[in-house]
Amino acid sequence: MDIDWDLVASSFWPLVQGGIRGTIPLSLASFFLGLVLALIVALMRLSGNKVISAIARGYVSVIRGTPLLVQLFVIFYGLPSIGVVIDPWPSAIIAFSLNVGGYAAEVIRAAILSVPKGQWEAGHTIGMSPVTTLRRIILPQAARVSVPPLSNTFISLVKDTSLASLILVTELFRQAQEIAAFSQEFMVLYVEAAVIYWVFCLILSSGQSQLEKRLDRYVAH
Amino acid sequence: MSPTDPLAPRGTVPAHEPVLTVSGLRKSFGANQVLKSIDLSVRQGEVLALIGPSGSGKTTVLRCLNGLETPDGGVVAFRGIRPVDFASPASKKQLASLRDQSAMVFQHYNLFPHKTVLENVIEGPVQVQKRPKAEAVREASSLLDRVGLADKRDQYPHELSGGQQQRVGIVRALALKPSLLLFDEPTSALDPELVGDVLHVIKELAEEGWTMALVTHELAFAREVASEVVFMDGGVVVERGHPDQVLRDPQEERTQQFVHRLLNPF
Ligand SMILES: Nc1ncnc2c1ncn2[C@@H]1O[C@H](COP(=O)(O)OP(=O)(O)OP(=O)(O)O)[C@@H](O)[C@H]1O
Ligand SMILES: [Mg+2]
């Protein structure tokens, strides 16, 4: 097979632009909102209240037990039939945030539980309320523990945003599809898109190890 | 003791006034009744040593005083605040007022690993007591200096030996200026060669007039620093009195056996 290198070169920048304008902001926004949601859900699960904790458990179960693509379609193609029409971008951000929220909630919950009970007691003895202890003592330690699993969640999210192409969001993969449809060079474009995703993820992985190393200094081994 | 001495306790209560009076303290975990009506009192400037076999409830007593456990019954009265009667459920406010009277030094230090030594010490004064940071830092520094850790203030707990960590734990408690210091076997997690430094600090605190309740297996130390020794077994106080009496000439058979076993382990 002859590779059309001119096409590779001329499509490279539009694909990267799709990444910069689509994939990256979509990932960042969804991850940030998803983390906030995850923290709330994790705390709901840890709260002593049975009802609140059951709601959180149900949410996590639904998110983890259904395909992301189906969640995306329910929001973008399903909701309009009950009168709720949401644009592609907000739909994508909502779906991905809810998804991250479900997965990261379990990570954060486990991380909070991994902090020794003595840390809560030390917070108590110096006069802190449970909320202050959580904020100043427990969460910083839990954050360190959750960096590796949350980085994995983020890397998965970056790849999963390619699904947004199916609800008309112009991101990296949709860009590739459009150029491929036009040039009929499917192999070239899809492999090129794959390589760009891969490079993004390599960069993120190395960022993750840097972050872990930096946070490591403060923690006992 | 000069008035600016950093180790000096809050000197508002006249000597020999009880700082703490506990009566009828009860606590169960499920069906396990761990404390069956404990009476205690600690006077200003005195050191109460709690001794007794494993599982006798010593730690639970300290934890009840500091609000780490909620008693099922009994009255805990600190001087200067309303007594809390646990016959009816205590309010959050009552529990907090009780908790603020004492500070616990833990067996396993429980320092905050993500904070430096100095940050560990000023966390309570600055974040909880809302004292000016500069003042808290100054006080913390001189306290650290007094326990020989001036050069460690910017290090993290995992960079210190166990004995150094425990001294930070003590300073963290002192910095809160509690009316009662609680020590739960402060040296039992330490390598033997590090025990002396920590005991030395505690002894200095006792000499400087801090009021404390101390759970310990170091009988020789208890004899040296304690004003009163309380021997507990099975959730009750079996014998109490002057250290020389309880530790050298115990009246109760259970106390005799316990002391004998600790002094002659083989
Ligand atoms: N949180 C808890 N839940 C259930 N049981 C507990 C709890 N804390 C303590 N106990 C039980 O209460 C009893 C007294 O425990 P405590 O820790 O007060 O004893 P102790 O005198 O400090 O013993 P040691 O010398 O071993 O430290 C033990 O039987 C222990 O198993
Ligand atoms: Mg104990």
Side-chain angles (χ1 to χ4, degrees):
Chain A
M1 175 190 153
D2 277 335
I3 297 173
D4 183 346
W5 289 107
D6 285 343
L7 180 62
V8 171
S10 66
S11 60
F12 178 75
W13 187 234
L15 291 190
V16 170
Q17 288 247 309
I20 293 171
R21 298 226 179 107
T23 304
I24 291 174
L26 185 56
S27 303
L28 287 177
S30 307
F31 191 65
F32 179 75
L33 293 173
L35 277 190
V36 174
L37 183 62
L39 179 60
I40 294 168
V41 173
L43 294 176
M44 284 170 69
R45 278 213 60 181
L46 293 169
S47 81
N49 187 310
K50 279 209 181 86
V51 177
I52 289 177
S53 144
I55 293 170
R57 199 144 15 94
Y59 163 74
V60 170
S61 168
V62 168
I63 293 295
R64 305 219 308 181
T66 57
L68 174 53
L69 184 58
V70 174
Q71 296 164 14
L72 204 58
F73 273 40
V74 166
I75 290 171
F76 187 69
Y77 294 113
L79 287 183
S81 57
I82 56 165
V84 182
V85 181
I86 308 176
D87 283 346
W89 262 87
S91 291
I93 290 178
I94 292 170
F96 291 127
S97 304
L98 288 173
N99 194 263
V100 168
Y103 282 91
E106 289 300 281
V107 170
I108 293 174
R109 188 179 77 99
I112 290 175
L113 289 175
S114 78
V115 177
K117 203 168 118 263
Q119 292 293 306
W120 287 97
E121 298 188 343
H124 172 95
T125 207
I126 66 168
M128 282 183 173
S129 67
V131 173
T132 309
T133 306
L134 179 72
R135 185 169 55 81
R136 295 196 49 91
I137 308 300
I138 306 299
L139 287 182
Q141 296 179 58
R144 167 63 191 89
V145 183
S146 18
V147 166
L150 288 182
S151 306
N152 292 338
T153 306
F154 186 63
I155 290 171
S156 296
L157 172 65
V158 170
K159 293 179 291 182
D160 287 344
T161 55
S162 61
L163 293 174
S165 63
L166 294 167
I167 62 164
L168 315 176
V169 173
T170 311
E171 41 65 74
L172 198 163
F173 190 59
R174 183 158 181 89
Q175 203 78 347
Q177 284 178 311
E178 282 173 3
I179 301 173
F182 180 75
S183 65
Q184 295 293 304
E185 289 280 3
F186 296 101
M187 188 66 181
V188 169
L189 264 300
Y190 292 160
V191 169
E192 190 174 5
V195 168
I196 295 172
Y197 275 113
W198 185 41
V199 171
F200 279 180
C201 289
L202 284 180
I203 294 170
L204 288 173
S205 294
S206 95
Q208 169 187 353
S209 357
Q210 299 292 323
L211 187 60
E212 278 174 41
K213 254 185 229 140
R214 251 186 51 200
L215 292 168
D216 237 16
R217 287 194 310 217
Y218 309 123
V219 188
H221 300 284
Chain B
M1 185 170 65
S2 77
T4 55
D5 189 321
L7 287 186
R10 226 166 34 191
T12 48
V13 183
H16 307 304
E17 289 267 342
V19 167
L20 166 72
T21 310
V22 175
S23 50
L25 190 69
R26 288 185 295 112
K27 176 69 184 174
S28 300
F29 294 105
N32 181 11
Q33 197 180 358
V34 173
L35 301 180
K36 308 167 182 159
S37 193
I38 301 284
D39 298 334
L40 292 174
S41 85
V42 193
R43 282 193 288 256
Q44 172 66 30
E46 291 196 348
V47 178
L48 176 75
L50 286 170
I51 63 169
S54 182
S56 56
K58 308 177 297 290
T59 296
T60 306
V61 169
L62 293 193
R63 291 173 59 85
C64 285
L65 297 180
N66 195 223
L68 287 164
E69 304 286 355
T70 309
D72 301 328
V75 179
V76 177
F78 275 96
R79 198 180 185 285
I81 65 165
R82 290 252 313 267
V84 181
D85 185 349
F86 288 95
S88 52
S91 70
K92 273 194 176 147
K93 219 174 134 192
Q94 280 179 308
L95 291 176
S97 76
L98 209 147
R99 180 262 317 268
D100 293 343
Q101 294 300 307
S102 62
M104 178 85 96
V105 175
F106 297 93
Q107 186 173 0
H108 298 284
Y109 337 129
N110 297 358
L111 298 181
F112 306 129
H114 59 303
K115 293 183 181 293
T116 64
V117 165
L118 182 71
E119 288 165 350
N120 264 273
V121 177
I122 64 171
E123 183 73 11
V126 174
Q127 293 297 326
V128 179
Q129 300 179 340
K130 307 290 179 203
R131 286 159 52 200
K133 188 168 175 198
E135 177 196 309
V137 167
R138 207 172 333 112
E139 264 182 41
S141 304
S142 72
L143 284 170
L144 287 169
D145 190 25
R146 281 295 306 268
V147 301
L149 295 175
D151 55 332
K152 304 284 185 210
R153 50 173 256 177
D154 296 319
Q155 291 194 282
Y156 285 88
H158 74 267
E159 298 170 305
L160 307 184
S161 75
Q164 291 168 334
Q165 290 190 48
Q166 189 57 299
R167 280 179 277 159
V168 176
I170 293 171
V171 168
R172 180 175 68 180
L174 289 179
L176 300 163
K177 309 191 183 188
S179 36
L180 177 67
L181 283 169
L182 305 170
F183 294 85
D184 188 9
E185 299 194 36
T187 58
S188 65
L190 295 176
D191 290 338
E193 76 270 19
L194 303 176
V195 168
D197 287 344
V198 172
L199 292 184
H200 177 74
V201 168
I202 299 173
K203 184 162 168 256
E204 273 191 355
L205 295 175
E207 285 165 356
E208 307 218 0
W210 281 87
T211 312
M212 29 203 206
L214 166 80
V215 172
T216 184
H217 287 295
E218 307 270 350
L219 294 193
F221 182 67
R223 246 186 76 200
E224 199 173 327
V225 301
S227 327
E228 183 184 26
V229 172
V230 167
F231 172 72
M232 287 177 61
D233 194 7
V236 297
V237 173
V238 174
E239 187 165 357
R240 69 176 86 215
H242 191 274
D244 287 338
Q245 187 255 303
V246 177
L247 298 174
R248 301 185 85 173
D249 185 24
Q251 304 300 301
E252 299 290 329
E253 197 184 322
R254 277 193 279 176
T255 321
Q256 289 163 3
Q257 284 173 357
F258 175 77
V259 171
H260 182 81
R261 223 176 314 120
L262 266 198
L263 297 178
N264 308 281
F266 303 111

